[in-house]
Amino acid sequence: MQTRTALVTGANGGLGTAIAKGLAIEHHMHVLVAARQMPDARETADALRSAGGEATPIQLDVSSDESVAKLRTTIEQAGGRLDVLVNNAGRNSMTEQSEASLGTVDMKTALGEFDTNALGALRVSQASFELLRKSDAPRVINVSTEMASLSTAATDFYPLAPSYRISKVALNAVTVLLAREWAKHCILVNAYSPGWLRTAMGAPEAPYSADEGAETALWLATLENNGPTGRFFAEMRRMGQPVVLDW
Ligand SMILES: NC(=O)c1ccc[n+]([C@@H]2O[C@H](COP(=O)([O-])OP(=O)(O)OC[C@H]3O[C@@H](n4cnc5c(N)ncnc54)[C@H](OP(=O)(O)O)[C@@H]3O)[C@@H](O)[C@H]2O)c1
């Protein structure tokens, strides 16, 4: 069987590295390790190769049209087909004082977060489409958050975090619409919430490791062809099994 190829954005740390590791080591995929800075991508790819995996470093800034435009050529050089795309790259300004109220949200911050978290995933998905179509089991996984669930946003216990939430609600919209449009090409597109993690974006006291947060991504990356699409899943660790979240 041909080795499957996966692209993970923001793969130089935290959850992205954990997902890249799971795909390369547990699932024996060739992982394209994408990071904003090439030395960071190289460092993670080298670590995966040292652990016995197949990994290729890629420079990719998901908020840059120019950087994403080069992606297709890069993937073509790396084999010309993409089986799994994980849109993991993200930013979060939640701890900034201006995010404590909708009245003080800084528009530049909000636009930056929207550009990376929502449009970044769309840009990379657009650039990957023709390469995903060459796969016999193409999967797209968008890393979202429970904070993006509009059905619970009015009453949940999470911080207000308006810029982050708005960007991830938009990422969920990208998920549903891509799933609908790409259903005819049998590309399964799903979003998931990894839970609160012990990463740079999360906190040392968070309940889950990055590896635990990666579990749902690995499950979504290896779905059967009749698997779900256009859905939003919770982290599997807490639930013990895949659980669908309300949008
Ligand atoms: N941590 C949590 O508790 C938690 C909870 C729910 C959802 N999530 C989501 O999980 C994903 C990963 O977060 P994490 O916890 O692993 O945080 P992290 O350690 O801060 O990692 C974020 C990654 O995204 C990259 N990134 C940011 N902007 C980028 C851009 N424009 N182009 C390419 N890469 C970019 C960062 O690269 P640099 O190193 O170059 O900055 C970094 O590799 C995010 O989408 C986040 O929203 C996290």
Side-chain angles (χ1 to χ4, degrees):
M1 210 177 74
Q2 228 180 354
T3 304
R4 283 166 65 72
T5 301
L7 168 64
V8 183
T9 68
N12 54 305
L15 180 63
T17 297
I19 295 172
K21 186 177 73 175
L23 294 172
I25 311 297
E26 277 173 50
H27 294 282
H28 310 290
M29 294 189 195
H30 173 201
V31 177
L32 307 177
V33 174
R36 265 200 285 214
Q37 307 297 335
M38 194 57 177
D40 292 344
R42 270 200 208 102
E43 194 180 321
T44 304
D46 286 350
L48 293 182
R49 279 198 295 267
S50 300
E54 197 182 341
T56 302
I58 285 187
Q59 188 284 326
L60 181 65
D61 179 342
V62 304
S63 67
S64 158
D65 290 330
E66 199 189 350
S67 174
V68 175
K70 291 184 198 142
L71 180 65
R72 190 163 167 189
T73 320
T74 311
I75 298 176
E76 269 161 5
Q77 282 163 357
R81 193 191 73 244
L82 194 61
D83 300 287
V84 175
L85 165 62
V86 184
N87 286 308
N88 164 78
R91 52 192 271 191
N92 184 343
S93 61
M94 194 155 82
T95 53
E96 286 177 23
Q97 191 53 39
S98 57
E99 290 293 309
S101 158
L102 273 290
T104 54
V105 167
D106 174 58
M107 293 304 151
K108 210 167 152 200
T109 303
L111 280 170
E113 225 143 296
F114 193 85
D115 198 25
T116 297
N117 297 353
L119 298 185
L122 180 55
R123 262 188 209 99
V124 178
S125 299
Q126 280 181 339
S128 305
F129 174 61
E130 292 300 338
L131 303 157
L132 285 163
R133 282 188 67 189
K134 294 184 185 171
S135 169
D136 55 7
R139 309 285 177 255
V140 177
I141 297 112
N142 293 331
V143 181
S144 184
T145 165
E146 273 184 39
M147 292 170 72
S149 176
L150 285 179
S151 50
T152 53
T155 52
D156 71 25
F157 55 83
Y158 298 116
L160 200 60
S163 294
Y164 185 63
R165 287 196 195 230
I166 291 167
S167 71
K168 292 288 189 177
V169 168
L171 174 65
N172 283 357
V174 167
T175 304
V176 172
L177 296 174
L178 270 185
R180 170 178 158 164
E181 187 174 337
W182 287 357
K184 59 179 173 290
H185 303 293
C186 303
I187 304 174
L188 305 184
V189 186
N190 291 289
Y192 90 102
S193 165
W196 190 27
L197 307 175
R198 296 188 291 276
T199 62
M201 189 186 292
E205 67 273 22
Y208 304 116
S209 66
D211 286 344
E212 288 167 340
E215 285 175 7
T216 309
L218 302 182
W219 173 70
L220 290 169
T222 52
L223 287 174
E224 296 293 327
N225 279 342
N226 62 356
T229 191
R231 308 304 288 271
F232 180 26
F233 290 92
E235 79 272 16
M236 290 168 73
R237 176 58 56 135
R238 181 161 43 126
M239 313 294 186
Q241 60 181 356
V243 170
V244 173
L245 291 169
D246 290 329
W247 294 110

